[in-house]
Amino acid sequence: VTGDDRADEALGLMSALAAGDRSALARLISLYGTGIRVFATHQLGDAAEAEDVSQEVFLRVWSEARRYDPARAAVSTWVWRIAANLCADRRRRRMVRRFLGLDSPPDAALAADDAPGAERIVAGRQRMELLTAALAALPDRQRKALLMRTAGGLGTSEIAGALGLSVGAAEQLLVRGRTALRRTMGDIDDD
Amino acid sequence: MTDPTLPKNPADREQDHRFDAALGALLRAEAEDISPLAAAVMARLSAHSAPHRSRAWLSPAPLAAGFGGLMAAAAALGYIGLPLFGTAGDDIVLTAALGGLMAGGF
């Protein structure tokens, strides 16, 4: 499925969503759900919280479908902007709760064990943990841009729209993010 | 002026493309099964769109206040209206009280 095919299908699904078709929502989840869950997991560093936010994203898509204007943004841009905003809100609230002593920092090992596919082989697990740490060490906007590209399959203009940046600025974030990640991980495409 | 951070030639772009694809495959491998997410969203959607009557019972304060108001109005009307029946009013109240007592007793 190409990006254009996906964009066309998503546009049709938005019309169906606005008319109250729940099967269209299920299809939209199959288009964007995986990427958004990966994005939320690496933005929040907590699998359970990421799952909850991913659900919130699609509930928000459902409730706001009638307000979607195709002239203003692609469906992917709109959905990913909702995801980025909800993750930012959740991080902000968590910081306040931790500041007030209502929450404690998550146990990193426990969070990793709770992630889907916890039974993966040790080498793969170590590599994934290294990748998670490398992504976490990136500046926030570089991480967002890189996750949107790699996990979500978004084009540079879609990323720019979702993050409220120019296309050039989004491209720069991607280049810098890749450079930093290669420095930590090596060329992960050499396998 | 060209930006030094941007890839300069098609080979660099191709390398970036391969890097993105490999990273994407690595990341998505952990979250490929999307059916639990879809099921959870649908369940929450159904819960949100439950019938209005159920919602009323989830927050019964307005209903309780309305019922209490009606009871108070009935009591006030009875108090005001009783003298209109004169001594017959007392008999009505006595009969009703005895009737209630007997009904409760049996």
Side-chain angles (χ1 to χ4, degrees):
Chain A
V1 179
T2 67
D4 286 345
D5 288 343
R6 196 164 69 158
D8 289 343
E9 185 183 359
L11 204 55
L13 290 173
M14 286 308 296
S15 304
L17 275 180
D21 181 357
R22 290 189 184 194
S23 65
L25 182 63
R27 179 66 191 140
L28 203 72
I29 293 171
S30 72
L31 282 183
Y32 297 122
T34 304
I36 282 175
R37 195 161 62 183
V38 170
F39 177 82
T41 301
H42 289 275
Q43 278 298 101
L44 300 170
D46 183 286
E49 213 172 354
E51 180 71 24
D52 192 47
V53 167
S54 303
Q55 293 173 20
E56 288 284 345
V57 169
F58 290 103
L59 289 172
R60 187 72 63 88
V61 166
W62 171 262
S63 64
E64 302 284 320
R66 287 183 189 180
R67 291 191 193 173
Y68 169 69
D69 179 2
R72 293 181 63 190
V75 178
S76 57
T77 301
W78 186 69
V79 172
W80 279 83
R81 194 182 296 155
I82 291 173
N85 288 341
L86 286 179
C87 284
D89 284 349
R90 190 63 71 103
R91 283 166 65 123
R92 214 172 295 128
R93 261 188 286 164
R94 196 168 59 185
M95 278 172 65
V96 171
R97 287 181 65 83
R98 283 190 189 155
F99 177 75
L100 295 173
L102 299 171
D103 263 357
S104 56
D107 182 337
L110 191 66
D113 282 343
D114 282 349
E119 67 279 358
R120 61 190 179 274
I121 59 171
V122 174
R125 183 177 202 156
Q126 285 173 342
R127 193 177 198 203
M128 196 62 210
E129 283 169 6
L130 184 63
L131 174 60
T132 301
L135 281 169
L138 290 178
D140 188 51
R141 292 202 304 182
Q142 284 181 25
R143 182 175 55 250
K144 281 179 184 167
L146 209 52
L147 286 170
M148 285 179 181
R149 165 62 60 83
T150 57
L154 266 61
T156 310
S157 60
E158 292 171 307
I159 295 170
L163 294 179
L165 302 168
S166 68
V167 173
E171 184 63 43
Q172 279 193 26
L173 289 176
L174 288 170
V175 170
R176 288 178 184 151
R178 281 190 205 104
T179 305
L181 219 54
R182 278 190 177 116
R183 210 175 294 136
T184 315
M185 300 283 298
D187 273 331
I188 58 174
D189 52 323
D190 281 349
D191 293 346
Chain B
M1 195 174 82
T2 56
D3 185 337
T5 62
L6 294 178
K8 296 172 188 63
N9 58 51
D12 287 342
R13 287 191 180 275
E14 179 58 32
Q15 198 180 9
D16 285 347
H17 181 72
R18 281 206 313 272
F19 180 85
D20 290 348
L23 182 55
L26 204 57
L27 289 168
R28 294 168 69 95
E30 292 225 312
E32 207 57 69
D33 182 15
I34 210 66
S35 49
L37 174 63
V41 171
M42 292 305 165
R44 284 176 70 173
L45 205 56
S46 298
H48 284 192
S49 55
H52 291 287
R53 197 171 54 176
S54 304
R55 284 188 193 176
W57 285 113
L58 284 173
S59 50
L63 280 180
F67 181 73
L70 281 174
M71 290 294 285
L77 271 176
Y79 183 76
I80 294 165
L82 197 57
L84 298 177
F85 294 101
T87 51
D90 291 339
D91 294 341
I92 292 169
V93 172
L94 182 65
T95 308
L98 281 174
L101 195 64
M102 289 177 73
F106 294 100

